[in-house]
Amino acid sequence: MKTRSILFMAGLLIASAVHAKDVLITNGRIITMGPAGIIESGNVLVRDGKIVAVGQQVTAANAEIVDANGGFVTPGFFDSGTQIGLGDVESSTIRTDQRVRETDLGAGFPIALTFDRNSIEIPIVRIEGVTRAIVRPSAGSKVFAGQSAIIQMSGSEATIVDRSNAVFALLGEGSRSLAGGSRAKALLDVVDGLNEALAYSKNRRAFEARKLRDLRQSPLDLEALIPIVEGKKPLAIVANKASDIELILENLEPFKLKLVIVGGAEAWQVAPLLADRQVPVVLNPLRNLPSNFDQLASSLSSAAKLVEAGVMVAFMTEEQTSEFRSLTQGAGVAVANGLAWQDALDAITINPAVIWGIEKDYGTLEPGMDADVVIWDGDPLEVMSAPTAVMIEGAFVDLRSRQTLLRDRYAELEGNEMPFGYR
Amino acid sequence: MISRRLQLTCLTLAIFCLDASALDAPFASTYQPPPSPERVIANVRILIGNGEEIERGSVRIREGRIVEVTPGSVAPPAPGIVIDGEGKWLTPGIIDVHSHLGVYPSPGYSPHSDGNESTAPVTAEVWAEHSVWPQDPQFPLALAGGVTSLQILPGSANLIGGRSVVLKNVSARTVHDMKFPGAPHGLKMACGENPKRVYGTQGRLPTTRMGNIAATRAAWISADEYRQQWQSYQDKKAHFESGEPDKDKEEDKEKDPPEPPVRNLQLETLAAVLDGEIRVHNHCYRADEMALMIEIAQEFGYKIASFQHAVESYKIADLLRDEGICSAMWADWGRFKLESFDAIEENIALVEKAGACAIVHSDSATDVQRLNQEAAKALAAGRRMGLSISEAQAMRWLTLNAAQSLGIDELTGSVETGKMADLVLWDGNPFSVYTRAEKVLIDGVLVFDRTTGLLPSTDFELGTGAGR
């Protein structure tokens, strides 16, 4: 049986396991991420994909018991910037569906339509304790890149949690070629695009009757922007330069958006403004190079400085999922550079839950939450730690991946009579 | 060209040996560390770099060299500035064998992105050091991560990209003030996707892997001919200068000295590889392609010092051990190209298990700042699959193994007497994500000290807010 179908079948079995026995995780050092804080020697009871009880006294009759052996127990972690599932190999020869070129499609481009829940990347990433992610489009020919999706990593039909959770846009140096050569025009495209969406949402009938002024965006784009201008879904803008962030905040102020700054290499320099406007920042905590003139002030202590100023921060790996461990490693490095350990955990659990609008179901280990639970063999942010068990919406996932299969085939090089292909 | 005998003599004596004839050679190292006081790093946990460790000991540094490594507590130490190592760890300086710092600097714009001379598939005539911008802000960032030496290579657009150079990670105005004294040059070779993609889009050889191999072999054939021409010339010149009559001819002796062959920079570099003076570092991902590159090396009589990236080394680790070829690898990077599709977290550990030379490299200006953490990930992955690897042995992947592949292991790469005092004092276990380098010494000079904020800044950082 081909390896991909083994893992696919495992996904189906896991999905059906949701309706099986209760699961009681015992003897864990539980990082609840809620008001209960850290519960030493605690238990977590899971039923039908949800957490029903957390605490030292929690017991259950007729449950499958899983002993955490005193290890840390955390929510599954959330990576706020990936392209998981859009192509099994990151190279532009193979993964090409994440952007569209030479078309009129902008905000209306839904990345969920190219998402593969059977991607070999999903098992690879989830065994590292990451159970949720934003899958985001790349900008192709418009400043508005399209709509991102939220996924969980079961690989089952439930994998896509939200098919269109936010609209992404690109500003700053990278946007120039999308907007006639100047980032100023790119910002105008965003302002203009939002104004068009407002006009369209208030005058749909006139638009259909061709009695509205000509709009540059297509109906697909306009429809996608309506929840944005209504403040129901976030507008995530990729921008790094301090002056660009100031201009974005100033020019989008009239719109009453749920604005998120993504990238934010120099965001720490305008932290008070971001805190005042309650604009969260999604960043890659491993980024600190002055890679271009938009990111000169990039720094490993960015996260610490933003949090200190009262800005909500979430972490992402930025499509570097080929570096399998970077989310927790990045969080650990942020701690080494001034961020509190608990704040680093917030950035990969409850903060992304709030920023991306799923805080009712995910982000803490509390009754009523989706049972994304990970048991660790050490501090979850330590590079030498790894999960010993990963549960997604109540079902433990297979800890095998394509990589473990390759490892096992070549674990013993000596003393074999038959070719490796038989292993 | 420096003579092999003199080079070997210098390395054997393990002294600062500015090769006499190399002083005449162009682009020789002009590196001179400033004077530094005698120092003792006391009561510190030492990972020696050769696979051994001293749980608690002291290291004395004098005139830029390690002069004593003593197990046990020291109280109070003899003369010299004392650095208290209580609760801290000491390791050799990290050596990154795959770096493009300086040739692909930050900020990354084409006017100074000079790592790939992608105008022909074989450009052995170019030297990476001639593209290095010493004011690249990435250098001090790597220093703060404990990196004391780096091999700067041309990129992998070409089958043969040019000479690499080993640099000391020091603040300098010119690249030759950074050049590691006594380090041989390397030659960058590449197999696989990159060269055939670059030249394939131009519709020229190579556009396939078989084209890669053919063009590579053709280059070595030319090099072999060139080398023979020069050897023949040297022989004739020696005969001419000896003044002996040519016994086959009737005249007393030849009237005119022999004409040297036309000098060709490309073939000169390749001939130096065949003479064993330049070490080959071969970018290659797939196991089957590594086997082909070994065949070519055997065909032309040169040795491959290391395969770089070597994502599939775990599949042929026994072969690599038998050939004595090092693998410079990532802890967990893969699947960004088809030839890295089979990357596994246990690659480094499995190479170690087979008894082959394992190195952790970065090929990244971000990862270079945390090579100790990369080694930690590889160590943990190996242990989880049941392999018994010590921390002391894992440190070897960043230090002595790296030094061996570069031909500088007599000079640096371990905390042993006689070697250059290239050292890092860590504020905790270097395999923890929370640990940072506290102090870095290069040739005994304190070049980085986190506690006092001592860190050089490149000119680019002044007034731009970059690099901090």
Side-chain angles (χ1 to χ4, degrees):
Chain A
M1 203 189 208
K2 293 267 194 299
T3 62
R4 188 178 157 104
S5 42
I6 288 174
L7 298 168
F8 175 64
M9 291 301 294
L12 290 179
L13 287 168
I14 285 155
S16 64
V18 170
H19 301 294
K21 280 168 77 166
D22 291 358
V23 175
L24 183 68
I25 297 169
T26 61
N27 191 22
R29 196 165 172 207
I30 302 173
I31 316 294
T32 63
M33 304 306 302
I38 299 178
I39 301 175
E40 303 289 345
S41 306
N43 305 337
V44 181
L45 179 60
V46 173
R47 176 179 303 143
D48 288 344
K50 292 278 189 183
I51 296 172
V52 296
V54 181
Q56 285 172 335
Q57 311 303 327
V58 169
T59 56
N62 222 18
E64 177 195 341
I65 311 281
V66 176
D67 188 350
N69 289 313
F72 281 95
V73 176
T74 69
F77 295 139
F78 193 122
D79 186 338
S80 287
T82 81
Q83 294 196 322
I84 295 172
L86 304 185
D88 287 349
V89 175
E90 269 180 42
S91 89
S92 55
T93 331
I94 288 150
R95 176 181 286 173
T96 65
D97 293 304
Q98 73 273 23
R99 62 161 57 86
V100 285
R101 290 202 175 88
E102 295 166 27
T103 71
D104 281 337
L105 199 57
F109 175 57
I111 204 64
L113 286 185
T114 179
F115 177 75
D116 173 15
R117 67 179 172 86
N118 299 313
S119 166
I120 58 119
E121 294 185 300
I122 288 176
I124 288 170
V125 172
R126 72 186 179 202
I127 64 179
E128 309 292 347
V130 176
T131 62
R132 306 246 166 168
I134 288 285
V135 180
R136 69 182 201 193
S138 299
S141 47
K142 299 270 177 159
V143 167
F144 285 109
Q147 301 149 56
S148 57
I150 298 177
I151 62 162
Q152 43 94 312
M153 308 273 186
S154 67
S156 72
E157 297 94 343
T159 297
I160 297 185
V161 171
D162 188 335
R163 307 175 59 78
S164 167
N165 79 298
V167 167
F168 270 70
L170 176 66
L171 290 177
E173 197 181 88
S175 69
R176 295 192 289 215
S177 59
L178 304 168
S182 170
R183 71 180 76 205
K185 164 77 164 39
L187 181 52
L188 285 180
D189 280 354
V190 172
V191 172
D192 201 35
L194 296 172
N195 276 324
E196 284 197 349
L198 278 169
Y200 173 78
S201 73
K202 290 170 187 155
N203 300 285
R204 259 208 194 78
R205 215 169 271 156
F207 176 86
E208 297 296 345
R210 293 176 178 273
K211 287 185 178 148
L212 192 58
R213 67 176 171 93
D214 278 346
L215 300 179
R216 287 189 304 142
Q217 295 180 101
S218 69
L220 275 176
D221 290 347
L222 295 163
E223 290 289 348
L225 287 174
I226 289 174
I228 306 299
V229 293
E230 290 177 348
K232 292 191 178 128
K233 289 188 181 178
L235 176 63
I237 298 189
V238 178
N240 287 293
K241 200 174 171 78
S243 58
D244 280 346
I245 294 170
E246 286 175 329
L247 287 166
I248 290 165
L249 261 54
E250 186 190 312
N251 282 275
L252 296 187
E253 233 260 300
F255 289 98
K256 310 296 172 228
L257 308 167
K258 271 177 135 178
L259 187 60
V260 181
I261 296 293
V262 177
E266 298 192 336
W268 66 269
Q269 290 188 319
V270 294
L273 175 65
L274 289 161
D276 183 63
R277 302 282 174 87
Q278 297 190 299
V279 173
V281 174
V282 173
L283 59 88
N284 179 348
L286 294 178
R287 273 248 221 128
N288 69 333
L289 299 179
S291 318
N292 55 34
F293 283 95
D294 277 11
Q295 298 179 52
L296 294 182
S298 200
S299 162
L300 291 179
S301 53
S302 259
K305 294 188 166 117
L306 285 165
V307 168
E308 196 186 3
V311 179
M312 179 175 282
V313 169
F315 290 150
M316 63 172 175
T317 55
E318 263 185 318
E319 299 110 50
Q320 297 281 320
T321 48
S322 58
E323 285 182 291
F324 320 136
R325 304 300 308 283
S326 354
L327 186 69
T328 49
Q329 182 179 13
V333 168
V335 173
N337 284 276
L339 188 66
W341 188 77
Q342 191 62 55
D343 289 337
L345 287 173
D346 288 353
I348 52 179
T349 54
I350 52 167
N351 288 357
V354 167
I355 290 168
W356 305 116
I358 57 169
E359 70 270 32
K360 287 205 210 66
D361 295 313
Y362 162 83
T364 68
L365 294 180
E366 291 181 297
M369 287 296 195
D370 287 347
D372 279 16
V373 187
V374 182
I375 304 172
W376 296 85
D377 67 4
D379 175 342
L381 302 189
E382 263 295 7
V383 281
M384 291 189 68
S385 298
T388 56
V390 177
M391 172 188 275
I392 300 177
E393 290 190 13
F396 284 110
V397 293
D398 194 335
L399 292 183
R400 285 177 305 168
S401 69
R402 175 160 198 278
Q403 279 156 9
T404 63
L405 295 173
L406 281 162
R407 173 200 69 197
D408 293 342
R409 169 169 279 190
Y410 287 97
E412 287 301 331
L413 292 178
E414 316 284 355
N416 306 293
E417 285 171 9
M418 294 291 281
F420 287 87
Y422 291 91
R423 298 198 219 159
Chain B
M1 283 192 264
I2 57 170
S3 81
R4 182 94 178 112
R5 181 183 293 277
L6 187 50
Q7 181 189 33
L8 283 170
T9 308
C10 291
L11 293 176
T12 308
L13 291 177
I15 55 175
F16 260 130
C17 188
L18 282 175
D19 181 70
S21 59
L23 283 171
D24 299 319
F27 313 117
S29 169
T30 50
Y31 170 68
Q32 276 298 343
S36 56
E38 182 163 334
R39 282 193 173 89
V40 176
I41 306 173
N43 300 326
V44 71
R45 183 162 178 174
I46 307 169
L47 297 180
I48 303 217
N50 61 2
E52 291 165 17
E53 66 176 295
I54 295 173
E55 247 191 70
R56 188 179 178 79
S58 71
V59 175
R60 178 176 294 280
I61 299 151
R62 187 185 301 133
E63 285 167 25
R65 295 278 164 162
I66 300 167
V67 295
E68 278 167 31
V69 180
T70 319
S73 294
V74 191
I81 297 180
V82 176
I83 298 176
D84 180 15
E86 192 68 57
K88 297 176 185 162
W89 296 51
L90 186 73
T91 70
I94 293 176
I95 301 169
D96 188 4
V97 303
H98 195 115
S99 178
H100 301 299
L101 262 54
V103 302
Y104 279 125
S106 280
Y109 293 102
S110 52
H112 64 194
S113 292
D114 295 326
N116 272 299
E117 182 55 55
S118 357
T119 50
V122 175
T123 53
E125 65 269 30
V126 304
W127 297 20
E129 65 207 69
H130 298 151
S131 279
V132 170
W133 180 42
Q135 305 298 340
D136 180 1
Q138 294 170 158
F139 283 116
L141 289 174
L143 184 63
V147 175
T148 54
S149 300
L150 311 100
Q151 173 172 230
I152 309 298
L153 297 145
S156 52
N158 293 350
L159 296 168
I160 298 176
R163 293 196 191 199
S164 65
V165 66
V166 182
L167 299 180
K168 292 253 179 192
N169 194 2
V170 292
S171 174
R173 291 180 297 173
T174 71
V175 69
H176 293 99
D177 284 342
M178 299 172 79
K179 196 164 172 178
F180 197 112
H185 272 124
L187 181 79
K188 173 67 178 275
M189 290 181 64
C191 77
E193 284 180 33
N194 290 2
K196 78 181 191 80
R197 182 189 67 243
V198 169
Y199 295 99
T201 56
Q202 296 175 29
R204 54 188 285 203
L205 181 79
T207 64
T208 59
R209 280 179 164 82
M210 54 188 177
N212 281 354
I213 299 292
T216 302
R217 293 173 76 202
W220 289 115
I221 288 169
S222 302
D224 210 17
E225 282 171 12
Y226 182 82
R227 181 167 168 247
Q228 284 175 39
Q229 285 168 14
W230 272 89
Q231 191 60 56
S232 167
Y233 160 72
Q234 302 285 11
D235 291 344
K236 285 188 185 144
K237 185 175 172 212
H239 178 77
F240 175 81
E241 282 166 355
S242 73
E244 285 173 16
D246 194 350
K247 41 187 193 296
D248 293 333
K249 293 195 177 157
E250 287 174 9
E251 301 95 58
D252 283 348
K253 62 176 181 176
E254 288 170 41
K255 293 200 170 72
D256 299 316
E259 290 279 312
V262 175
R263 190 178 174 200
N264 178 309
L265 278 183
Q266 181 185 112
L267 299 176
E268 184 175 286
T269 289
L270 294 176
V273 172
L274 297 177
D275 282 336
E277 290 165 13
I278 294 180
R279 304 168 77 86
V280 170
H281 300 283
N282 198 153
H283 153 126
C284 210
Y285 286 76
R286 274 178 21 191
D288 57 302
E289 290 191 75
M290 287 193 263
L292 289 176
M293 300 314 287
I294 292 172
E295 285 289 309
I296 296 178
Q298 285 169 354
E299 182 183 5
F300 293 98
Y302 66 85
K303 269 205 60 71
I304 298 171
S306 73
F307 282 118
Q308 306 257 324
H309 311 325
V311 156
E312 294 192 359
S313 276
Y314 66 95
K315 301 184 184 180
I316 50 163
D318 49 352
L319 172 62
L320 297 168
R321 172 199 62 222
D322 294 342
E323 293 292 324
I325 298 175
C326 291
S327 299
M329 301 163 280
W330 291 295
D332 59 8
W333 202 17
R335 289 177 304 108
F336 50 93
K337 290 195 289 183
L338 208 44
E339 59 189 353
S340 67
F341 193 48
D342 286 4
I344 64 174
E345 287 184 289
E346 297 84 359
N347 192 22
I348 293 166
L350 284 170
V351 169
E352 174 69 39
K353 175 188 184 232
C357 165
I359 296 168
V360 185
H361 73 347
S362 77
D363 194 11
S364 157
T366 26
D367 283 6
V368 68
Q369 302 176 51
R370 277 173 292 282
L371 277 170
N372 54 308
Q373 294 182 21
E374 298 305 302
K377 289 192 273 187
L379 172 61
R383 285 175 172 174
R384 276 194 297 273
M385 70 169 286
L387 300 176
S388 174
I389 305 171
S390 67
E391 281 154 343
Q393 186 58 23
M395 184 50 61
R396 196 177 165 130
W397 301 334
L398 298 175
T399 56
L400 194 58
N401 283 356
Q404 278 169 348
S405 76
L406 299 179
I408 55 174
D409 50 302
E410 308 272 331
L411 299 171
T412 190
S414 58
V415 186
E416 293 182 287
T417 55
K419 291 200 175 178
M420 296 162 167
D422 297 340
L423 300 164
V424 184
L425 183 70
W426 303 89
D427 64 11
N429 183 332
F431 297 106
S432 165
V433 75
Y434 305 118
T435 293
R436 295 189 295 181
E438 186 191 285
K439 291 181 169 60
V440 178
L441 293 112
I442 297 179
D443 292 294
V445 180
L446 184 65
V447 289
F448 169 63
D449 188 338
R450 194 180 295 278
T451 64
T452 62
L454 177 73
L455 178 68
S457 59
T458 57
D459 296 346
F460 182 77
E461 296 166 63
L462 294 183
T464 55
R468 295 294 142 135

